[in-house]
Amino acid sequence: MAEKKEKLFEQFPAVTTEEWRAKVDADLKGVPFEKKLVWRTNEGFNVQPMYRAEDIADLKTTDSLPGEYPYVRGTRDNNDWLTRQTIIAPTPAEANAIALDVLTKGVNSLGFKIEEPTAETIETLLKDINLAEVEVNFSCCPRKAVELAEVLVAYIKKNNAEKTFRGSIDYNPLKPALRHGKTIPAFAVENAVKLIEVTKEIDNLRTIGVDSVMFNTAGAYIYQELGYALSWGAEWLTALTEAGVSATEAACSIKFNMGISSNYFMELAKFRAARMLWAQIVEQYKPDCKCAAKMMVHASTSLFNQTIYDAHVNLLRSQTEAMSAALAGVDSITVVPFDTPYKTPDAFSERIARNQQFLLKEESHLDKVVDPAGGSYYVETLTVSIAREAWKLFLEVQEKGGFFAMVNEGLVQAAVNESGNKRHADMARRKEILLGTNQYPNFNETALEKIEKEGCGCGCGCNEQGEATKSLSTKRQASDFEELRLATEKASNRPKVFMLTIGNLAMRLARAQFSSNFFGCAGYEIIDNIGFDTVAAGIEAALAKEADIVVLCSSDDEYATYAPEAFKALGGKAEFVVAGAPACTEELQAQGITNFIHVRSNVLDTLRAFNAKLLK
C-alpha cells in the first residue's frame, strides 16, 4: 500500500502579498511603511522587509546550476575554497620555515611578498613545498614581475609541475597610482603581455591582478568596489587583446583580489553578481570557450573596519565576513589577523585567523554545500540589485574614457575617498557602529603600549608619493576615535566624567548609560551613580570626586528645574552637560548652558572639543 503523505501547506489558504501588506500596515498604526520598514542602502536601492516567490519569478539568475554559465551560482561543482595565509618573515629561509609549519596546520594556499625575485630566492622560499597540493601566490614590485615570472617558471619546470602548479603573480602596475597618486607606468601593458608569454606553458598560473581590495580598504561602498573591479578587468581585456593576446589567454590570466565588508548578505550577493557580470563581459571578447569567462576570486576580510581598541571584536567582524565569502563560493580566502592595525601579526593571531576558516569548514561544513543562498528570495534580489548598480558605474567608467584614464586623472580615487569620508562622518554620528569604538567602549582599556611601528617599502620607488589628491585613503574607520583615546592616554591628566543622576528613575538610568558610552569613546574616566535626592547633593559629590565634566541625567520634563539649579551650583568649576535634547533647550541656553549630548550629536566633534579644553 502506498505510503500516505500529508501535504500540510494545502491545508492553509494562500496568503497574497497584498494581504500581508494590509496586516503590516494595520500593525504599524499609521506609521508610513516606507519610512519605518524599508531600508535605503548605500548602494542606491531599497531593501524591503519581506520577499516572496513572486519577487524572483522573472529573474534569470535562478536558471543555471553551479558551474554553469554565467556562473552566478559558482564556477565549480563544489565549495571547497582554499585557505590562504600570507607569510611575513624577514628572510626567504624564515618564510619557508613558517610556510612549511602552517602547511601542517591546514593551510593550502600561501602568499609571499618578493623583494628580490632571484632563482635563489624562489628555491629557498619553495623548498620542500609540494606544488601539486599547495596554491602559491606572489606579490612584488610591478617593475620586477616579469623577472619573477621567469625564475618561477624555471623552478616549476625544474620540478615537472607545469600541469599541477596552481598560483598567481599579482602584477598590479596600477597600485602606485591608486595608493600613492602616481601615473600608471608606461610599461604597464607591455609587461603584462610579456608575463602572459613567459607563463603560457603553466596552465594554472594567473599573472594579472585586479586588486579591488584597495577600494574596500579605503571605505568604498559595495557597488563601487564591484563596478570599478569589473571596469579594471575589462580594461585589461581590451589592452591585452589589442596587443595581440587572445581573448582566452587574456581572460585566463586575470585574478580578482576583492575585499569583504561586514554587510553580510550584501557581500554574499556581491560575489554572485561579480561572477555573473564578469562572464557577460568576457563573452563580448569572443573567447574560444565559455570556461574562459569563469571569474577567479580571492577574498580578504576588511582592514577598514578593524580597530586598535577592543581588538578582539575584530574577530567577530572578520568571521562574518569570511562566512559571506565562503557562502558566495569564492576560490580562496584570507582572514586578516585581528592585531594587524597595530603590529605585525604574531603566531597567536595568525593561528586564530586560520582557525576562523577551519571553523567554517570543519564545524559549520560550509564547504559541503554549493551556493546555499541560491533561490533565496532575498539574496537573489540583492544579487540582481547590486549587479544593476555596479553595471551603471561600469558604463559610467566607459563613458569617461575607461578605468586607466580615470585612475590617472584621480577620478576613481576621488569617488572612493568621498565614500570613505562619508563613512567616517557616519561613524562620527553613530550612523555606522563599530562596537567597542564609537559605541559601548571598554572605558578602562589602554592601547598605547601595544602599538608597534611597521617598516614598509620594497626599495624600488613604488612607494614614493605622487599627487596626494590622487591617492586612495588608507585611514581605517576607527582611526579618528582612536586618535582621541590615544591623546587621552598620552595626557598627564585623564578627565573625569561624573553622572549626576536625579529624578525619573528610568530616564536617569538610560541617559547615564548613554552618556557613559558617549564620553567613554574618548577614554575618559566614568563615575556613574545610582541617583541623588537633591541637585545640591549631586554637585557636592561631583566636586568631591574632582570631576572635570558633570553630566545631568534626568527626564526632559525635569530639566527645566534641575539644569539651571545644577549649573548655578557648579559655578564653572567643571564643564556642565545636559544629557538629551529637551523642549526647554533654548531657555537653558539663554541661561548659559551650552553643552547638550543626544542621539543626533556628532560624537567625534563633541569629544574633540572637550579634549581641546581638558587635556594637559
Side-chain angles (χ1 to χ4, degrees), residues 10 26 89 95 99 178 181 204 209 328 359 366 380 389 392 429 470 595 602:
E10 292 182 357
L178 288 167
N204 296 305
L359 186 152
L366 299 191
E380 293 288 2
E389 296 305 318
K392 289 178 184 177
R429 294 180 179 276
K470 294 183 180 181
N595 295 317
N602 186 310

Side-chain angles (χ1 to χ4, degrees), residues 146-419:
V146 175
E147 186 180 349
L148 170 59
E150 291 171 343
V151 295
L152 178 60
V153 168
Y155 181 85
I156 293 171
K157 289 183 176 180
K158 178 181 176 181
N159 288 272
N160 300 314
E162 294 96 323
K163 302 300 180 183
T164 57
F165 179 87
R166 291 178 300 165
S168 65
I169 294 173
D170 183 23
Y171 174 63
N172 180 10
L174 277 71
K175 183 176 180 179
L178 288 167
R179 184 159 291 174
H180 304 292
K182 301 177 75 174
T183 301
I184 298 173
F187 63 75
V189 176
E190 179 184 352
N191 278 10
V193 175
K194 289 180 181 178
L195 276 169
I196 294 172
E197 178 64 25
V198 169
T199 60
K200 65 181 180 180
E201 296 180 60
I202 314 301
D203 290 345
N204 296 305
L205 173 56
R206 299 208 173 206
T207 54
I208 311 299
V210 173
D211 295 328
S212 67
V213 67
M214 289 193 290
F215 303 139
N216 175 278
T217 301
Y221 292 125
I222 290 172
Y223 83 96
Q224 285 182 308
E225 182 188 2
L226 178 52
Y228 286 137
L230 294 171
S231 300
W232 191 341
E235 186 95 353
W236 273 125
L237 288 176
T238 299
L240 292 170
T241 52
E242 288 180 351
V245 178
S246 73
T248 301
E249 283 183 313
C252 291
S253 70
I254 296 173
K255 184 169 186 176
F256 288 80
N257 302 298
M258 304 183 76
I260 326 165
S261 75
S262 292
N263 200 332
Y264 185 79
F265 287 106
M266 295 279 279
E267 285 291 350
L268 197 167
K270 177 188 78 178
F271 290 110
R272 300 176 86 247
R275 288 192 298 267
M276 177 178 66
L277 294 177
W278 179 245
Q280 294 172 4
I281 289 171
V282 172
E283 187 181 25
Q284 302 308 308
Y285 289 81
K286 308 298 182 184
D288 296 334
C289 69
K290 286 191 174 182
C291 60
K294 290 183 177 181
M295 185 186 215
M296 179 170 282
V297 182
H298 173 69
S300 296
T301 59
S302 182
L303 185 61
F304 181 71
N305 61 15
Q306 285 204 338
T307 64
I308 293 174
Y309 289 92
D310 225 343
H312 288 94
V313 181
N314 293 334
L315 295 170
L316 303 180
R317 300 183 186 107
S318 58
Q319 190 68 41
T320 64
E321 291 165 3
M323 286 178 67
S324 295
L327 292 172
V330 301
D331 296 286
S332 56
I333 300 174
T334 291
V335 173
V336 177
F338 73 88
D339 55 357
T340 300
Y342 55 88
K343 63 182 292 189
T344 299
D346 57 25
F348 173 74
S349 64
E350 288 182 334
R351 176 190 174 195
I352 294 296
R354 292 193 300 270
N355 288 349
Q356 286 180 257
Q357 293 199 57
F358 300 152
L359 186 152
L360 298 180
K361 285 188 175 185
E362 306 302 330
E363 296 189 30
S364 303
H365 305 296
L366 299 191
D367 60 332
K368 299 298 189 291
V369 182
V370 186
D371 190 31
S376 161
Y377 308 151
Y378 181 41
V379 176
E380 293 288 2
T381 304
L382 286 183
T383 299
V384 172
S385 297
I386 290 173
R388 185 180 296 115
E389 296 305 318
W391 191 250
K392 289 178 184 177
L393 182 58
F394 176 85
L395 295 178
E396 180 184 320
V397 172
Q398 306 312 305
E399 291 172 0
K400 292 184 177 180
F403 187 76
F404 288 11
M406 285 188 66
V407 169
N408 275 334
E409 293 174 29
L411 298 178
V412 172
Q413 300 91 309
V416 172
N417 287 343
E418 182 179 355
S419 297

Side-chain angles (χ1 to χ4, degrees), residues 495-500 519 527 538-552 563 566-578 592-595 610 613-614:
K496 296 179 180 179
V497 183
F498 186 92
M499 301 300 155
L500 200 170
F519 286 102
I527 305 172
I539 294 297
E540 181 181 354
L543 295 177
K545 292 287 188 179
E546 299 181 336
D548 298 285
I549 300 173
V550 175
V551 184
L552 182 63
F567 182 65
K568 184 177 179 180
L570 189 59
K573 296 175 183 176
E575 294 290 329
F576 182 68
V577 177
V578 173
I593 299 172
T594 57
N595 295 317
F610 278 111
K613 293 178 183 178
L614 301 174

Side-chain angles (χ1 to χ4, degrees), residues 441-466:
N442 181 344
F443 305 146
N444 297 315
E445 180 185 8
T446 58
L448 197 58
E449 70 282 353
K450 72 180 182 183
I451 298 175
E452 300 175 3
K453 291 183 178 180
E454 295 184 30
C456 63
C458 60
C460 66
C462 290
N463 289 335
E464 293 174 4
Q465 191 66 43

